[in-house]
Amino acid sequence: MPESSKNVLDRFRQGDADAFEEIFREQQTTVYRWILRIVRDKGTAEDLTVETFWRIYRAHARFDPARGFEPWARQIATHVALDWLRARKPESEITPAVEATLTAAGGSDPGVQAEIRTKTAEAFTRLPAKLRAAAVLAVVEEQPHKVIAGSLGISVTAVKLRVFRALRLLRKDLEHQGIRP
Amino acid sequence: MTEMNHNLNKESERIKELLKAAVPRIAEDAEPSRDLWPDVLRRLDREPVKVPWFDWALVGGLVVLAAAFPTAIPVFLYYL
């Protein structure tokens, strides 16, 4: 958010609804994309964006302008997305529509067989929410570790550890399914 | 030891490749399909009215007082 918006942020902190709308208009796409990267479903990402901004508005008095709006919003959005991931049952996560997206044209490596891609995607949905979020943001979305750490409220080292654990669990899951990566 | 680390790194890289192949990256220009502001307003309207705890304590105190001294109720109502 540019420096000229400092006044808007100050008004938002005091609970000004117009300032909140202005911030929403400016930030909704950024927040939506971040959530979409974690939950991987457009409709859900829209619902969770609404939930995120509701939480942002409720927490307006705790907002620290010195810290910046985006990192703060990203952290709230990440918590909302993680809550959603935790509430979902892993076996119900891959709907036919999502599976089609995951396995048809989505793969960046055409050499990887469709069956392996499907099984990898399924194993991915079985990862614990916090490992899954760290892995997808770091490996698939290639977000900087520092940004991921800020959004999860942990250190960069902890992010790397979570990614490592996620990859190890994925390997074990695939081996269990008879796939030797 | 070095060879073991090398193998671990190789395996890790292979899993990363599999993950990238299985889970496509989200488009950089992804946008919500509609304006979400009306939904945010609806969500804000749905928020239940919160009564501070000290208001509940005051009501509780008045109920206890009324139960202990019922004859004081008309006096209390007179001063309302």
Side-chain angles (χ1 to χ4, degrees):
Chain A
M1 189 163 279
E3 189 64 30
S4 59
S5 301
K6 193 180 175 303
N7 181 35
V8 178
L9 291 176
D10 285 339
R11 285 194 290 123
F12 161 70
R13 196 179 175 211
Q14 288 156 17
D16 185 314
D18 291 337
F20 175 57
E21 182 177 358
E22 208 170 313
I23 291 169
F24 173 83
R25 299 275 175 212
E26 195 175 310
Q27 296 289 323
Q28 70 164 325
T29 305
T30 309
V31 169
Y32 167 80
R33 281 180 195 152
W34 183 261
I35 294 173
L36 183 59
R37 285 180 178 127
I38 300 173
V39 301
R40 326 294 297 177
D41 180 81
K42 291 177 180 177
T44 303
E46 288 177 353
D47 292 345
L48 297 183
T49 301
V50 172
E51 175 69 19
T52 298
F53 275 96
W54 176 71
R55 289 196 195 182
I56 284 172
Y57 187 72
R58 283 187 60 189
H60 64 81
R62 292 198 298 274
F63 170 60
D64 176 11
R67 201 183 145 199
F69 185 84
E70 267 191 51
W72 185 62
R74 204 183 292 123
Q75 190 166 24
I76 294 175
T78 306
H79 283 140
V80 170
L82 283 177
D83 286 347
W84 183 84
L85 286 181
R86 287 189 187 106
R88 297 267 295 182
K89 288 181 181 174
E91 61 272 17
S92 65
E93 284 189 16
I94 291 201
T95 59
V98 172
E99 187 172 349
T101 313
L102 289 174
T103 58
S108 59
D109 183 355
V112 180
Q113 291 171 7
E115 189 197 349
I116 297 178
R117 285 208 299 267
T118 307
K119 287 192 172 178
T120 307
E122 284 170 355
F124 170 70
T125 66
R126 284 191 287 270
L127 288 175
K130 61 182 187 178
L131 299 188
R132 183 175 162 181
V136 79
L137 290 170
V139 178
V140 178
E141 300 297 337
E142 296 176 350
Q143 294 295 308
H145 282 139
K146 196 177 172 185
V147 173
I148 301 170
S151 73
L152 289 167
I154 58 177
S155 66
V156 169
T157 310
V159 171
K160 289 178 181 173
L161 193 64
R162 283 188 189 184
V163 173
F164 174 76
R165 285 174 59 202
L167 295 175
R168 195 175 58 181
L169 280 178
L170 263 182
R171 181 173 57 81
K172 282 184 180 171
D173 194 322
L174 289 173
E175 281 176 357
H176 188 70
Q177 294 182 69
I179 296 169
R180 180 81 188 159
Chain B
M1 191 70 180
T2 316
E3 194 180 340
M4 205 171 90
N5 281 342
H6 177 70
N7 286 341
L8 270 175
N9 281 339
K10 208 173 157 185
E11 271 185 14
S12 180
E13 288 305 315
R14 179 67 186 141
I15 294 288
K16 280 184 186 175
E17 279 172 28
L18 275 179
L19 189 57
K20 282 181 185 176
V23 183
R25 200 172 171 178
I26 298 295
E28 291 292 330
D29 59 350
E31 286 195 10
S33 62
R34 61 181 197 281
D35 179 17
L36 299 175
W37 180 244
D39 294 24
V40 172
L41 288 180
R42 268 194 296 276
R43 184 73 178 86
L44 286 170
D45 285 343
R46 267 206 338 256
E47 185 179 9
V49 177
K50 284 187 178 167
V51 181
W53 67 268
F54 45 84
D55 284 0
W56 287 115
L58 187 64
V59 170
L62 285 174
V63 169
V64 170
L65 209 64
F69 307 102
T71 51
I73 294 174
V75 179
F76 176 75
L77 290 176
Y78 177 77
Y79 282 104
L80 269 182

